Amino acid sequence: MPKMLIVEDDVDFAKELRSVLEDQGWKVELAATGPDATQLLSNFRFDFILLDWTLPEVSGAELCRRYRAAGGESPIIFVTGRHSINDKEFALDAGGDDYITKPFDVRELLARIRAVHRRPARLAQEELSAHGVTLDPHLRTVNRISESVQLSALESSIVEFLLRNKNRFFSASDIFEAVWESDAESSDETVRVRMRIIRQKLAKIDCENLIETVRGSGYIIRDV
């Protein structure tokens, strides 16, 4: 039985989510604070994490960042009342795989969980490279010389797709169709936000120009 961690300080809301997810076949643990969640994540393995942003003592975004920095790979969806695009970008940059704002229809949450949960199985295991930059799809890291940066599952899938199709242009719609699951809501802006986050991460190892954007043509990784 897959195991889910819900990190949420609204206990009644967390219990409602737990009931819904248990009906879907998940074994669910609850944590109401950042330290409680940290302790659970340090001692147990979870297949999925639902993470509120506003938590006592440690924010969800900071908890996510620390978890990823420590090598945590479980998919994370932020479930929060924060709606701004800056908040969404920050959460995804911290290592989140998706972001849903309250209030929401539980069917949308379940669809997002299904979509994110399927992504890692599609990742290839061999390394892919261009211009001295290497992607390890299994670890979801981009490496250059002795430096590396961690990507989320979705970000790794985007880079993998472009590396497997080098020297070809793809529009935002093309990338969405190739990488996102069929039950996800289509949006070119969703792709553009992800691309900005990927470039910010790549900039940390001085390869932010790995993915080029050409107006009117799309995104490309060249290897010529």
Side-chain angles (χ1 to χ4, degrees), residues 51-53 55 58-66 78 90-91 94-95:
L51 181 59
D52 188 16
W53 184 308
L55 296 168
V58 179
S59 74
E62 177 61 17
L63 179 65
C64 180
R65 187 194 66 77
R66 293 179 186 178
F78 277 84
F90 189 89

Side-chain angles (χ1 to χ4, degrees), residues 1-212:
M1 178 181 294
K3 193 172 182 180
M4 171 87 69
L5 174 64
I6 298 176
V7 187
E8 169 64 64
D9 63 341
D10 184 334
V11 176
D12 290 338
F13 178 66
K15 289 180 178 178
E16 289 178 9
L17 283 182
R18 179 173 63 184
S19 178
V20 170
L21 290 163
E22 286 178 341
D23 287 342
Q24 298 293 315
W26 290 89
K27 181 178 180 181
V28 181
E29 295 280 351
L30 303 180
T33 69
D36 287 347
T38 298
Q39 183 175 10
L40 286 170
L41 291 169
S42 297
N43 292 285
F44 303 97
R45 181 187 178 279
F46 293 90
D47 298 287
F48 213 101
I49 301 166
L50 296 182
L51 181 59
D52 188 16
W53 184 308
T54 307
L55 296 168
E57 301 182 61
V58 179
S59 74
E62 177 61 17
L63 179 65
C64 180
R65 187 194 66 77
R66 293 179 186 178
Y67 176 69
R68 294 297 190 216
E73 297 185 352
S74 298
I76 296 173
I77 292 181
F78 277 84
V79 180
T80 175
R82 301 176 68 127
H83 292 75
S84 78
I85 188 64
N86 288 337
D87 288 336
K88 293 178 182 180
E89 188 169 0
F90 189 89
L92 296 173
D93 193 24
D97 293 285
D98 204 347
Y99 191 106
I100 186 170
T101 54
K102 304 173 185 175
F104 54 83
D105 190 307
V106 70
R107 292 172 299 176
E108 179 183 358
L109 176 62
L110 294 175
R112 288 175 181 266
I113 291 171
R114 290 194 301 270
V116 173
H117 198 229
R118 286 197 295 266
R119 286 173 193 155
R122 302 190 311 157
L123 297 175
Q125 302 304 310
E126 74 272 18
E127 293 183 344
L128 302 164
S129 63
H131 302 292
V133 179
T134 300
L135 170 72
D136 185 328
H138 177 61
L139 297 177
R140 302 201 301 265
T141 57
V142 175
N143 308 287
R144 179 178 176 272
I145 310 175
S146 60
E147 298 179 300
S148 67
V149 65
Q150 183 75 51
L151 303 181
S152 72
L154 181 57
E155 292 156 6
S156 181
S157 293
I158 292 170
V159 177
E160 178 187 343
F161 174 73
L162 292 172
L163 281 171
R164 289 189 177 280
N165 295 278
K166 288 180 286 190
N167 304 315
R168 292 178 57 191
F169 284 105
F170 295 93
S171 67
S173 296
D174 293 332
I175 293 172
F176 194 98
E177 183 176 348
V179 175
W180 271 257
E181 298 296 337
S182 59
D183 52 7
E185 184 178 348
S186 176
S187 167
D188 287 357
E189 180 60 24
T190 298
V191 178
R192 287 192 285 269
V193 167
R194 286 288 181 172
M195 285 297 186
R196 287 199 297 270
I197 292 170
I198 290 170
R199 287 200 174 102
Q200 289 167 4
K201 291 185 176 183
L202 294 178
K204 296 176 182 178
I205 56 173
D206 297 321
C207 59
E208 62 269 29
N209 295 322
L210 175 67
I211 302 174
E212 298 179 41

